[in-house]
């Protein structure tokens, strides 16, 4: 019995960003680090060569990131953001304006796949507690979300695709 492979749900923009990063790593960064390694080798004794060690470590980090992106892309599933079919229902790819009832302020989040989540850019994962609570909801609905820091309460002000 095969283990179920988890799909990486992401927006089209997130997919393109990963593809571009992968291309840059394979085409540019690999060449740059290979050049650094070559230059460090030419300095002589590799056992005490900090430049060589740093370049090899950078090479390992690049290869690890390439593997990570390959795995994400292999299981990528682009969220269907069909504006007509979904109407004002919140899906992955939706930008949602909420009213935070505790702090009495508006907040705006874009719902993205977990690999794209970045709270500093107000991008929250569809798998996060708030993201899960929002999926399938519409404008003017209220949600309560149980988190480690207590219950968060929001009213959905607007939904855009």
């Amino acid at each position: 019995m095969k283990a179920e492979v988890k799909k990486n749900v992401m927006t089209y923009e997130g997919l393109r960003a990963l593809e571009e990063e992968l291309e840059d790593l394979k085409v540019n960064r690999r060449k740059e680090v290979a050049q650094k390694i070559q230059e460090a080798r030419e300095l002589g004794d590799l056992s005490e060569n900090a430049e060589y060690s740093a370049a090899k470590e950078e090479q390992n980090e690049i290869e690890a990131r390439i593997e990570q992106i390959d795995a994400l892309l292999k299981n990528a599933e682009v969220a269907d953001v069909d504006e007509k079919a979904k109407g004002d229902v919140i899906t992955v790819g939706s930008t949602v304006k909420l009213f935070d009832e505790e702090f009495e302020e508006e907040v705006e989040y874009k719902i993205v796949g977990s690999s794209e989540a970045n709270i500093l850019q107000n991008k929250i994962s569809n798998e996060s507690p708030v993201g899960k609570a929002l999926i399938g909801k519409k404008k003017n609905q209220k949600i309560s979300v149980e988190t480690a820091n207590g219950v968060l309460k929001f009213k959905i002000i607007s939904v855009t695709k």
Side-chain angles (χ1 to χ4, degrees), residues 24-43 46 49 51-63 66:
D24 181 55
L25 288 169
K26 286 182 172 180
V27 173
N28 301 319
R29 301 277 289 138
R30 271 183 174 163
K31 284 180 187 171
E32 289 170 12
V33 81
Q35 182 65 35
K36 287 180 186 177
I37 290 170
Q38 181 61 38
E39 289 169 5
R41 276 192 175 134
E42 292 170 3
L43 295 175
L46 298 182
N49 188 326
E51 288 84 5
Y52 179 78
S53 295
K56 288 299 281 182
E57 187 174 319
E58 185 178 356
Q59 182 182 44
N60 289 338
E61 289 170 4
I62 289 169
E63 294 307 318
I66 287 171

Coordinates of all heavy atoms in Angstrom, one line a residue, residues 24-43 46 49 51-63 66:
D24 N 17.3 30.0 -11.5 CA 18.4 30.9 -11.1 C 19.4 30.0 -10.4 O 20.6 30.1 -10.6 CB 17.9 32.0 -10.2 CG 19.1 32.9 -9.8 OD1 19.8 33.4 -10.6 OD2 19.3 33.0 -8.5
L25 N 19.0 29.1 -9.5 CA 19.9 28.3 -8.8 C 20.7 27.3 -9.7 O 21.9 27.2 -9.6 CB 19.1 27.4 -7.7 CG 18.6 28.1 -6.5 CD1 17.7 27.2 -5.7 CD2 19.7 28.6 -5.6
K26 N 20.0 26.8 -10.7 CA 20.6 25.8 -11.6 C 21.6 26.5 -12.6 O 22.6 26.0 -12.9 CB 19.6 25.0 -12.3 CG 18.9 23.9 -11.5 CD 17.9 23.1 -12.3 CE 17.4 21.9 -11.5 NZ 16.4 21.2 -12.2
V27 N 21.1 27.6 -13.1 CA 21.9 28.3 -14.2 C 23.0 29.2 -13.7 O 24.1 29.2 -14.1 CB 20.9 29.1 -15.1 CG1 21.7 29.9 -16.1 CG2 20.0 28.1 -15.8
N28 N 22.6 30.1 -12.7 CA 23.5 31.1 -12.2 C 24.3 30.7 -11.0 O 25.5 30.8 -11.0 CB 22.8 32.4 -12.0 CG 22.1 32.9 -13.2 OD1 22.6 32.8 -14.3 ND2 20.9 33.4 -13.0
R29 N 23.6 30.4 -9.9 CA 24.2 30.1 -8.6 C 25.2 28.9 -8.6 O 26.3 29.0 -8.0 CB 23.2 29.9 -7.5 CG 22.3 31.1 -7.4 CD 22.8 32.2 -6.5 NE 22.8 31.8 -5.2 CZ 23.8 32.0 -4.3 NH1 24.8 32.6 -4.6 NH2 23.7 31.5 -3.1
R30 N 24.9 27.9 -9.4 CA 25.8 26.7 -9.5 C 27.1 27.1 -10.1 O 28.2 26.7 -9.7 CB 25.2 25.6 -10.3 CG 24.3 24.6 -9.5 CD 23.8 23.5 -10.4 NE 23.2 22.5 -9.7 CZ 22.3 21.6 -10.2 NH1 22.1 21.6 -11.5 NH2 21.8 20.7 -9.5
K31 N 27.0 28.0 -11.2 CA 28.2 28.4 -11.9 C 29.1 29.3 -10.9 O 30.3 29.2 -10.9 CB 27.9 29.2 -13.1 CG 27.4 28.3 -14.3 CD 27.1 29.2 -15.5 CE 26.5 28.3 -16.6 NZ 26.0 29.1 -17.7
E32 N 28.4 30.2 -10.2 CA 29.1 31.1 -9.3 C 29.8 30.4 -8.2 O 31.0 30.6 -8.0 CB 28.1 32.1 -8.6 CG 27.5 33.1 -9.5 CD 26.3 33.9 -8.8 OE1 26.1 33.7 -7.6 OE2 25.6 34.6 -9.6
V33 N 29.2 29.4 -7.6 CA 29.8 28.6 -6.5 C 30.9 27.7 -7.1 O 32.0 27.5 -6.5 CB 28.8 27.9 -5.7 CG1 28.4 26.6 -6.3 CG2 29.4 27.6 -4.3
A34 N 30.8 27.2 -8.3 CA 31.8 26.4 -8.9 C 33.1 27.2 -9.2 O 34.2 26.8 -8.9 CB 31.3 25.8 -10.2
Q35 N 32.8 28.5 -9.6 CA 33.9 29.4 -9.8 C 34.7 29.7 -8.5 O 35.9 29.7 -8.4 CB 33.4 30.7 -10.4 CG 34.5 31.7 -10.7 CD 35.5 31.3 -11.8 OE1 35.1 30.5 -12.7 NE2 36.8 31.6 -11.6
K36 N 33.9 29.9 -7.4 CA 34.5 30.2 -6.1 C 35.3 29.0 -5.6 O 36.4 29.2 -5.0 CB 33.4 30.4 -5.0 CG 32.7 31.8 -5.1 CD 31.6 31.9 -4.1 CE 30.8 33.2 -4.2 NZ 29.8 33.3 -3.2
I37 N 34.8 27.8 -5.8 CA 35.5 26.6 -5.4 C 36.8 26.5 -6.2 O 37.9 26.2 -5.7 CB 34.7 25.3 -5.6 CG1 33.5 25.3 -4.6 CG2 35.5 24.0 -5.5 CD1 32.5 24.2 -4.8
Q38 N 36.8 26.7 -7.5 CA 38.0 26.7 -8.4 C 39.0 27.7 -7.9 O 40.2 27.4 -7.8 CB 37.6 26.9 -9.8 CG 38.7 26.9 -10.8 CD 39.4 25.5 -10.8 OE1 38.8 24.5 -10.7 NE2 40.8 25.5 -10.9
E39 N 38.6 28.9 -7.6 CA 39.5 29.9 -7.1 C 40.1 29.6 -5.8 O 41.3 29.8 -5.6 CB 38.8 31.3 -7.0 CG 38.4 31.9 -8.4 CD 37.5 33.1 -8.3 OE1 37.1 33.5 -7.2 OE2 37.0 33.6 -9.3
A40 N 39.3 29.0 -4.9 CA 39.8 28.6 -3.6 C 40.8 27.4 -3.7 O 41.8 27.4 -3.0 CB 38.7 28.2 -2.7
R41 N 40.6 26.5 -4.7 CA 41.5 25.4 -4.9 C 42.9 25.9 -5.3 O 43.9 25.4 -5.0 CB 41.0 24.5 -6.0 CG 40.0 23.4 -5.4 CD 39.7 22.4 -6.5 NE 38.9 21.4 -5.9 CZ 37.8 20.8 -6.5 NH1 37.5 21.2 -7.7 NH2 37.1 19.9 -5.9
E42 N 42.8 27.0 -6.1 CA 44.1 27.5 -6.6 C 44.9 28.2 -5.6 O 46.1 28.4 -5.8 CB 43.8 28.5 -7.8 CG 43.2 27.8 -9.0 CD 42.7 28.8 -10.1 OE1 42.8 30.0 -9.9 OE2 42.2 28.3 -11.1
L43 N 44.3 28.4 -4.4 CA 45.1 29.1 -3.3 C 45.9 28.1 -2.6 O 46.8 28.4 -1.7 CB 44.1 29.7 -2.3 CG 43.3 30.9 -2.8 CD1 42.3 31.3 -1.8 CD2 44.2 32.0 -3.2
L46 N 43.9 22.8 0.9 CA 42.5 22.8 1.1 C 42.1 22.6 2.6 O 41.0 23.0 3.1 CB 41.8 21.8 0.3 CG 41.9 22.0 -1.3 CD1 41.1 20.9 -2.0 CD2 41.5 23.4 -1.7
N49 N 41.8 26.0 4.2 CA 41.4 27.0 3.3 C 39.9 27.4 3.6 O 39.0 26.7 3.3 CB 41.5 26.5 1.9 CG 41.2 27.5 0.8 OD1 40.4 28.4 1.0 ND2 41.9 27.4 -0.3
E51 N 38.1 29.8 2.5 CA 37.3 30.2 1.3 C 36.8 28.9 0.6 O 35.6 28.9 0.2 CB 38.2 30.9 0.2 CG 38.5 32.4 0.6 CD 39.7 32.5 1.5 OE1 40.4 31.4 1.8 OE2 40.0 33.6 2.0
Y52 N 37.6 27.9 0.6 CA 37.2 26.6 0.0 C 36.0 26.0 0.8 O 35.0 25.6 0.3 CB 38.3 25.6 -0.1 CG 38.0 24.3 -0.6 CD1 37.8 24.1 -2.0 CD2 37.8 23.2 0.2 CE1 37.5 22.8 -2.5 CE2 37.4 21.9 -0.3 CZ 37.3 21.8 -1.7 OH 36.9 20.6 -2.2
S53 N 36.2 26.0 2.2 CA 35.2 25.4 3.0 C 33.8 26.2 2.9 O 32.8 25.6 2.8 CB 35.6 25.5 4.5 OG 36.7 24.7 4.7
A54 N 33.9 27.5 2.8 CA 32.7 28.3 2.7 C 32.0 28.1 1.4 O 30.8 28.0 1.3 CB 33.1 29.8 2.8
A55 N 32.8 27.9 0.3 CA 32.3 27.7 -1.0 C 31.6 26.3 -1.1 O 30.5 26.2 -1.7 CB 33.3 27.8 -2.1
K56 N 32.2 25.3 -0.5 CA 31.6 24.0 -0.5 C 30.3 24.0 0.3 O 29.4 23.3 -0.1 CB 32.6 23.0 0.1 CG 33.8 22.6 -0.8 CD 33.4 22.0 -2.1 CE 33.1 20.5 -1.9 NZ 32.7 19.9 -3.2
E57 N 30.3 24.7 1.4 CA 29.1 24.8 2.3 C 28.0 25.5 1.5 O 26.8 25.0 1.5 CB 29.4 25.6 3.5 CG 28.2 25.6 4.5 CD 28.5 26.2 5.8 OE1 29.7 26.0 6.4 OE2 27.7 26.9 6.4
E58 N 28.3 26.5 0.8 CA 27.4 27.2 -0.1 C 26.8 26.3 -1.2 O 25.6 26.3 -1.5 CB 28.0 28.5 -0.7 CG 27.0 29.3 -1.5 CD 27.7 30.6 -2.1 OE1 28.9 30.9 -1.8 OE2 27.0 31.3 -2.8
Q59 N 27.7 25.5 -1.8 CA 27.3 24.6 -2.8 C 26.3 23.6 -2.2 O 25.3 23.3 -2.9 CB 28.6 23.8 -3.3 CG 28.2 22.8 -4.4 CD 29.5 22.1 -4.9 OE1 30.3 21.6 -4.1 NE2 29.6 22.0 -6.2
N60 N 26.6 23.1 -1.0 CA 25.7 22.1 -0.4 C 24.3 22.7 -0.1 O 23.3 22.1 -0.3 CB 26.3 21.6 0.9 CG 27.4 20.7 0.7 OD1 27.6 20.1 -0.3 ND2 28.3 20.5 1.7
E61 N 24.3 24.0 0.3 CA 23.0 24.7 0.5 C 22.2 24.9 -0.8 O 21.0 24.7 -0.8 CB 23.3 26.1 1.2 CG 23.8 26.0 2.6 CD 24.3 27.3 3.2 OE1 24.2 28.3 2.5 OE2 24.8 27.3 4.3
I62 N 22.9 25.2 -1.8 CA 22.3 25.4 -3.1 C 21.7 24.1 -3.6 O 20.5 24.0 -4.0 CB 23.3 25.9 -4.2 CG1 23.6 27.4 -3.9 CG2 22.7 25.8 -5.6 CD1 24.8 28.0 -4.7
E63 N 22.4 23.0 -3.5 CA 21.9 21.7 -3.9 C 20.7 21.2 -3.1 O 19.8 20.7 -3.6 CB 23.0 20.6 -3.9 CG 24.1 20.9 -4.9 CD 23.6 21.1 -6.4 OE1 22.7 20.3 -6.8 OE2 24.2 22.0 -7.1
I66 N 17.7 23.2 -4.2 CA 17.3 22.7 -5.5 C 16.4 21.4 -5.3 O 15.4 21.3 -5.9 CB 18.5 22.4 -6.5 CG1 19.1 23.7 -7.0 CG2 18.1 21.5 -7.7 CD1 20.4 23.6 -7.7

